[in-house]
């Protein structure tokens, strides 16, 4: 018998947060989120609760937790897309259909109680959170930015009536063996033709002081219409800036300005901290901090974070300048490759960009969708 319990108490909150850590303990591909960040979801002043509602459930069998899930009513996304959707996220479970059915059934009932007609996911509060269910690449190290899951999750979800809505791919990207000079020449030509220049910055603080407002506006414009995205709120901006201060190295950012110093393109990469936080369950112990500092200053892997282009410049070849900057980063001492993180399989501009590099497509993620109706049965 499986008991589904809405998370209310401190004990239940801790069980919710601890479950994936216990489920994947010893798994060399699993990378936990930072514990201090993740526990904020249970605070009433959490940054997303000005535009969202959320519910959290644990599943128990014989008094032992065997699964978890969260439902999110992202009001800004629904308003933007004229939809009535609830997102599911943070789904983790043992390989048991009864457990999965109970968890998804709880989210579906909650969605119907809110007047919604669709459940989709895994999607977080925004695309800044971990999203997409891993369906290929179970033997690959997860990035810090994305969630790992076992290979049986997809089968459980599909058995409950969920179908593919979109897929993302992820690739390892390495500097090309040849052609780098041509890319640089093309980048120089585009920069000169449109009177563009790279924005200077003395350090991370100077970079954020100069460009933060501009790059948030640019990301909103360039990501508008992409699956799962929502506009930045002031709270989201502050959260990102606080996070950037910890891990950005200005040698891994590129900002392109027009003649009026307006941002028209940006690329922000992060030194991979996946291995640095793996062994600590996401807790920032002194040993972890030492590993983090080492990873930031001497990265072996670079995670591609945000790449945005002003729609006005989207078809003017400006991406070659970003590619040229990335090649320089990949040629740094000690850097083995870059991880693209999630690229929509239908985003042909970004997919084609990696053809300029040596690349290996090594992961695929999926977002599922299920239509609900008030007179239909939810998962049982």
């Amino acid at each position: 018998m499986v008991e589904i319990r809405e998370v209310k108490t401190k004990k239940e909150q801790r069980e919710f947060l601890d479950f994936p850590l216990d489920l994947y303990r010893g798994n060399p591909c699993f990378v936990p989120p930072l514990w201090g960040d993740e526990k904020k979801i249970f605070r009433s002043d959490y940054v997303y609760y000005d535009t969202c509602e959320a519910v959290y459930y644990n599943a128990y069998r014989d008094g032992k937790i065997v699964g978890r899930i969260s439902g999110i009513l992202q009001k800004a996304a629904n308003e933007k897309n004229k939809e009535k959707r609830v997102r599911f996220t943070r789904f983790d479970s043992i390989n048991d259909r009864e457990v999965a059915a109970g968890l998804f059934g709880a989210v579906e009932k909650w969605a119907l109680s809110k007047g919604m007609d669709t459940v989709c996911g895994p999607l977080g509060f925004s695309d800044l959170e971990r999203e997409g269910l891993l369906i290929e690449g179970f033997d690959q190290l997860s990035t810090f930015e994305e969630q790992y899951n076992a290979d049986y999750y997809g089968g459980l979800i599909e058995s409950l009536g969920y179908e593919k809505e979109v897929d993302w791919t992820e690739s390892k990207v390495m500097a090309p063996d040849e052609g780098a000079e041509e890319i640089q020449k093309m980048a120089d030509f585009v920069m000169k033709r449109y009177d563009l220049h790279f924005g200077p910055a003395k350090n991370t603080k100077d970079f954020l002081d100069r460009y933060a407002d501009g790059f948030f506006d640019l990301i909103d414009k360039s990501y508008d219409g992409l699956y799962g995205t929502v506009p930045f709120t002031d709270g989201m901006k502050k959260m990102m800036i606080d996070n950037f201060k910890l891990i950005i190295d200005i040698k891994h950012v590129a900002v392109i300005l027009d003649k009026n110093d307006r941002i028209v393109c940006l690329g922000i990469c992060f030194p991979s901290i996946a291995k640095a936080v793996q062994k600590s369950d996401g807790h920032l112990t002194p040993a972890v901090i030492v590993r983090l500092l080492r990873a930031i200053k001497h990265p072996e892997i670079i995670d591609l974070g945000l790449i945005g282009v002003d729609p006005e410049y989207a078809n003017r070849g400006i991406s070659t300048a970003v590619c040229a900057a990335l090649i320089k980063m990949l040629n740094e001492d000690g850097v083995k490759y870059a991880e693209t993180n999630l690229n929509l399989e239908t985003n042909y501009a970004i997919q084609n960009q990696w053809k300029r590099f040596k690349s290996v497509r090594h992961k695929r993620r999926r977002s599922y969708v299920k239509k609900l109706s008030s007179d239909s049965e939810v998962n049982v």
Side-chain angles (χ1 to χ4, degrees):
M1 180 71 178
V2 174
E3 176 192 4
I4 306 299
R5 191 185 307 164
E6 184 177 350
V7 174
K8 296 287 189 181
T9 68
K10 293 291 184 182
K11 180 176 182 293
E12 290 165 347
Q13 291 174 4
R14 189 170 188 88
E15 289 174 328
F16 184 94
L17 298 175
D18 279 344
F19 180 71
L21 306 180
D22 294 333
L23 185 65
Y24 292 106
R25 192 169 305 284
N27 186 308
C29 299
F30 174 77
V31 176
L34 291 180
W35 175 268
D37 289 341
E38 191 70 354
K39 72 178 182 179
K40 292 177 183 177
I41 61 176
F42 293 117
R43 289 174 44 172
S44 60
D45 63 348
Y46 187 45
V47 64
Y48 287 109
Y49 290 152
D50 56 348
T51 60
C52 301
E53 295 179 43
V55 68
Y56 304 90
Y57 296 104
N58 288 338
Y60 299 89
R61 177 178 283 144
D62 299 326
K64 180 181 177 181
I65 185 170
V66 288
R68 69 167 196 170
I69 200 170
S70 173
I72 296 172
L73 177 54
Q74 203 347 320
K75 299 174 185 177
N78 281 347
E79 181 177 352
K80 171 186 171 184
N81 299 314
K82 304 296 188 289
E83 295 173 330
K84 294 182 177 181
R85 291 189 166 206
V86 157
R87 302 174 170 196
F88 75 85
T89 185
R90 294 172 172 83
F91 166 66
D92 289 290
S93 172
I94 63 172
N95 190 4
D96 188 305
R97 189 182 183 280
E98 183 184 13
V99 173
L103 289 167
F104 277 90
V107 169
E108 291 168 13
K109 288 179 182 178
W110 184 74
L112 290 171
S113 76
K114 295 294 180 179
M116 301 297 106
D117 60 18
T118 304
V119 175
C120 62
L123 291 171
F125 290 96
S126 77
D127 60 316
L128 301 179
E129 286 209 314
R130 297 177 170 195
E131 58 187 356
L133 191 86
L134 189 67
I135 59 170
E136 294 177 10
F138 302 105
D139 60 345
Q140 299 293 315
L141 175 68
S142 183
T143 63
F144 174 74
E145 294 82 8
E146 301 304 335
Q147 182 69 14
Y148 181 82
N149 60 262
D151 59 1
Y152 58 80
Y153 280 38
L156 291 176
I157 292 172
E158 290 167 14
S159 76
L160 300 173
Y162 287 80
E163 299 178 343
K164 170 186 173 179
E165 184 159 45
V166 300
D167 274 10
W168 297 269
T169 63
E170 298 178 56
S171 299
K172 293 180 180 179
V173 176
M174 294 143 279
D177 291 328
E178 55 186 30
E181 291 184 4
E182 286 75 11
I183 292 173
Q184 185 62 60
K185 287 179 181 178
M186 187 180 298
D188 292 341
F189 172 79
V190 170
M191 296 286 282
K192 183 177 181 180
R193 180 178 182 181
Y194 297 111
D195 199 5
L196 306 174
H197 60 281
F198 283 96
K202 298 175 183 178
N203 50 45
T204 300
K205 182 180 184 304
D206 185 38
F207 169 79
L208 293 171
D209 288 344
R210 286 174 183 259
Y211 306 120
D213 288 340
F215 70 59
F216 284 125
D217 291 340
L218 178 63
I219 291 296
D220 272 342
K221 283 196 295 184
S222 59
Y223 284 31
D224 184 49
L226 292 183
Y227 182 81
T229 60
V230 292
F232 284 102
T233 64
D234 289 341
M236 290 166 63
K237 293 176 183 178
K238 182 181 183 304
M239 178 181 66
M240 283 194 69
I241 289 173
D242 289 344
N243 291 339
F244 284 170
K245 288 177 181 177
L246 297 176
I247 60 174
I248 277 186
D249 189 317
I250 58 170
K251 66 183 179 182
H252 297 138
V253 301
V255 178
I256 299 176
L257 311 176
D258 66 10
K259 62 183 180 181
N260 298 313
D261 286 339
R262 181 176 64 93
I263 298 178
V264 298
C265 181
L266 68 88
I268 299 178
C269 302
F270 309 108
S272 173
I273 62 172
K275 293 182 179 179
V277 301
Q278 257 190 323
K279 297 179 181 179
S280 70
D281 286 345
H283 293 281
L284 287 179
T285 64
V288 170
I289 292 173
V290 170
R291 293 198 295 270
L292 282 173
L293 293 174
R294 187 183 301 123
I296 292 169
K297 291 300 180 184
H298 305 286
E300 293 184 355
I301 304 168
I302 298 173
D303 293 345
L304 304 190
L306 298 171
I307 298 177
V309 178
D310 190 308
E312 180 183 342
Y313 287 84
N315 297 314
R316 298 184 182 183
I318 197 172
S319 63
T320 58
V322 176
C323 289
L326 179 57
I327 289 172
K328 290 181 180 179
M329 297 178 199
L330 290 169
N331 284 327
E332 291 176 15
D333 288 343
V335 175
K336 297 178 179 177
Y337 59 88
E339 283 260 10
T340 64
N341 279 310
L342 274 65
N343 297 155
L344 281 168
E345 64 177 352
T346 54
N347 187 343
Y348 302 114
I350 195 71
Q351 296 286 354
N352 289 332
Q353 182 168 282
W354 306 131
K355 293 179 181 179
R356 297 182 171 126
F357 298 78
K358 290 190 300 182
S359 64
V360 177
R361 187 173 291 174
H362 64 312
K363 298 176 196 169
R364 180 177 289 270
R365 294 180 184 275
R366 179 163 297 170
S367 181
Y368 289 90
V369 66
K370 179 180 179 180
K371 294 291 292 184
L372 306 176
S373 61
S374 58
D375 58 349
S376 65
E377 293 185 6
V378 296
N379 288 316
V380 292

